[in-house]
Amino acid sequence: MSTSPGNKRFKASFPQSEVKVDWKKRKAELKEADKKRKEAKVIKRLEKQKEQEAEERAKLEESQRTKGRAYTVSVALPGSVLDNAQSAELRTYLAGQIARACVVFSVDEIVVFDEQGEDVQSVEGEFKGVGKKGHACIQLARVLQYLECPQYLRKSFFPMHKDLQYAGLCNPLDSPHHMRMDEQSDYREGVVVDRPTKSGKGSFVNCGMRKEVRIDKQLQAGLRVTVQLNKQQNTDSKVFKGVVVAPHVPRSRGGLYWGYSVRLASCLSAVFSESPYEEGYDLTVGTSEKGSNVDQSQLSPFKHLLVVFGGLRGLEASVDADQNLDVTDPSVLFDLYLNTCPGQGSRTIRTEEAILISMAALRRKITDVFSHS
């Protein structure tokens, strides 16, 4: 059979020597490429590990720099201080002055105790008018709670009430948790909204931002919660994401002042016995013009500090009215009994003034306790 010219040209263009493959060399090349690929993979893994270690180191350094405040400061005062106000407006404004004084010095808890034996345990009740005895503790506690609540949450927790009729006269507290809509923060206060969600997907919370926040837990609608927002947020998402944390976390971890809680006590002794802290208050300070000079005193290390103020007739009247106490000298109830304004020029110091004076005198002593630790 004859070969066509086309077949001859095909054979001529692909010589036999070029078609042959050196498999030994090819195998060596593949082995070398595989080795380099494995080496690159190991190098990449080591680099990633170094990056993770660097991130963890940075987080640790940041947490050490932004170490939270481990201690708490509580203030206790009788609700009867409101009875010294001359009108309903001044009564409310006086409560606002007390709130402002406590926030300025980062007080974590305000205890309103009854020195007249009314045995008040909650803010449920009615204010029956200026000049009439009674319900001063309830009104003071209600106004304090109202002012502490962020503005965007007040409608959810405080319906119209006679005790709050003149709350608009009070100066705003402007504490760190009173956020503006577009203000950036790791933490926010919010209220769980009544909106159906899928099981296991968590609830939605109104935190006063342009979008609601989806939290990690399914909670009952209407609850006030403290939310820690995720560091990375998807800007295209319809909601932000976050987790629910305990109310003390912004203070204990973030080092932020996060407002105060309000507690009602039926008498002076209940201020101590009903402490919300498991170990109670480990340092108590009473204030009186009969006490020791504050300038010559020093605070011992503590976790929970309590500073107690008397009413119009001082702490002596509170001790006398308390049937649970069998002492007549108030100084025996406290670790320290201090005169925080020695050499006062007025015969009397009003309670709202005493809070400012006393906390200013104690502020440096408190920081000195923890500056060495």
Side-chain angles (χ1 to χ4, degrees):
M1 184 185 291
S2 62
T3 306
S4 66
N7 287 340
K8 287 181 180 178
R9 281 199 300 270
F10 180 81
K11 286 183 179 179
S13 59
F14 292 93
Q16 190 69 24
S17 59
E18 290 183 11
V19 173
K20 217 172 188 182
V21 178
D22 189 349
W23 292 109
K24 189 174 181 181
K25 185 179 178 182
R26 179 65 176 163
K27 189 176 180 181
E29 287 174 355
L30 291 171
K31 192 174 181 181
E32 184 67 22
D34 187 56
K35 184 179 177 182
K36 287 182 179 179
R37 191 164 53 250
K38 287 181 179 178
E39 286 176 352
K41 197 174 180 180
V42 171
I43 291 170
K44 190 175 181 180
R45 189 167 64 246
L46 289 172
E47 287 175 351
K48 190 175 181 180
Q49 188 176 346
K50 284 181 181 179
E51 287 176 0
Q52 289 177 343
E53 288 174 355
E55 285 178 9
E56 289 174 359
R57 211 164 34 243
K59 284 181 182 177
L60 181 62
E61 290 173 358
E62 185 180 355
S63 66
Q64 289 173 345
R65 282 197 304 271
T66 60
K67 191 175 181 181
R69 173 162 62 89
Y71 67 90
T72 65
V73 178
S74 299
V75 161
L77 71 158
S80 60
V81 297
L82 292 193
D83 292 331
N84 199 32
Q86 290 82 13
S87 68
E89 293 90 340
L90 290 175
R91 190 178 174 101
T92 305
Y93 191 78
L94 173 57
Q97 286 180 296
I98 292 170
R100 283 281 305 172
C102 291
V103 166
V104 165
F105 291 101
S106 300
V107 170
D108 303 294
E109 179 195 28
I110 303 177
V111 187
V112 180
F113 66 90
D114 175 37
E115 64 175 1
Q116 298 171 353
E118 289 182 359
D119 194 22
V120 176
Q121 293 289 346
S122 75
V123 295
E124 297 303 320
E126 295 294 332
F127 167 52
K128 296 184 178 178
V130 177
K132 297 181 180 179
K133 297 291 182 182
H135 298 293
C137 295
I138 294 173
Q139 187 186 15
L140 177 56
R142 184 177 277 115
V143 174
L144 290 174
Q145 288 176 337
Y146 176 82
L147 293 175
E148 185 277 335
C149 184
Q151 288 87 337
Y152 57 86
L153 295 180
R154 287 176 181 170
K155 285 185 178 179
S156 301
F157 296 108
F158 294 93
M160 291 183 68
H161 196 283
K162 194 178 289 185
D163 286 353
L164 302 174
Q165 183 178 0
Y166 299 107
L169 298 174
C170 298
N171 295 314
L173 301 187
D174 203 24
S175 59
H177 67 301
H178 288 200
M179 300 280 181
R180 280 69 172 173
M181 181 178 286
D182 296 316
E183 192 171 349
Q184 298 294 321
S185 176
D186 291 339
Y187 303 94
R188 272 190 176 257
E189 289 293 291
V191 58
V192 180
V193 298
D194 188 7
R195 181 173 160 191
T197 57
K198 294 180 181 178
S199 179
K201 290 292 185 180
S203 301
F204 292 98
V205 178
N206 172 21
C207 289
M209 298 188 290
R210 297 186 186 278
K211 300 177 184 178
E212 291 179 347
V213 180
R214 186 192 284 274
I215 56 174
D216 57 327
K217 291 187 171 110
Q218 197 92 24
L219 298 177
Q220 183 181 351
L223 286 178
R224 178 174 168 176
V225 292
T226 304
V227 176
Q228 183 175 7
L229 297 168
N230 293 357
K231 291 285 185 184
Q232 301 294 331
Q233 298 285 353
N234 183 5
T235 54
D236 297 329
S237 175
K238 292 183 179 179
V239 294
F240 293 123
K241 290 189 177 180
V243 295
V244 174
V245 295
H248 68 79
V249 168
R251 168 187 59 81
S252 59
R253 292 186 192 170
L256 298 168
Y257 175 61
W258 211 245
Y260 54 77
S261 60
V262 180
R263 176 165 67 91
L264 280 163
S266 58
C267 54
L268 178 59
S269 59
V271 173
F272 302 90
S273 61
E274 297 173 3
S275 170
Y277 308 109
E278 187 176 347
E279 61 273 28
Y281 303 105
D282 49 359
L283 181 60
T284 57
V285 177
T287 59
S288 171
E289 60 180 0
K290 300 176 183 177
S292 306
N293 192 327
V294 68
D295 299 330
Q296 299 168 0
S297 66
Q298 189 174 1
L299 301 184
S300 58
F302 64 88
K303 288 184 179 179
H304 305 293
L305 170 66
L306 172 67
V307 185
V308 183
F309 298 90
L312 302 176
R313 295 177 294 158
L315 284 171
E316 289 79 8
S318 301
V319 171
D320 292 340
D322 194 335
Q323 298 179 356
N324 299 321
L325 298 175
D326 55 358
V327 298
T328 55
D329 183 7
S331 63
V332 300
L333 301 175
F334 304 97
D335 298 315
L336 294 171
Y337 199 57
L338 302 177
N339 180 1
T340 56
C341 189
Q344 64 191 60
S346 173
R347 292 189 184 91
T348 58
I349 294 179
R350 297 172 65 91
T351 303
E352 66 272 20
E353 297 168 341
I355 295 174
L356 286 169
I357 294 167
S358 303
M359 298 310 296
L362 294 172
R363 186 193 66 83
R364 183 62 184 269
K365 298 180 184 297
I366 292 171
T367 55
D368 285 345
V369 170
F370 293 94
S371 62
H372 305 297
S373 59

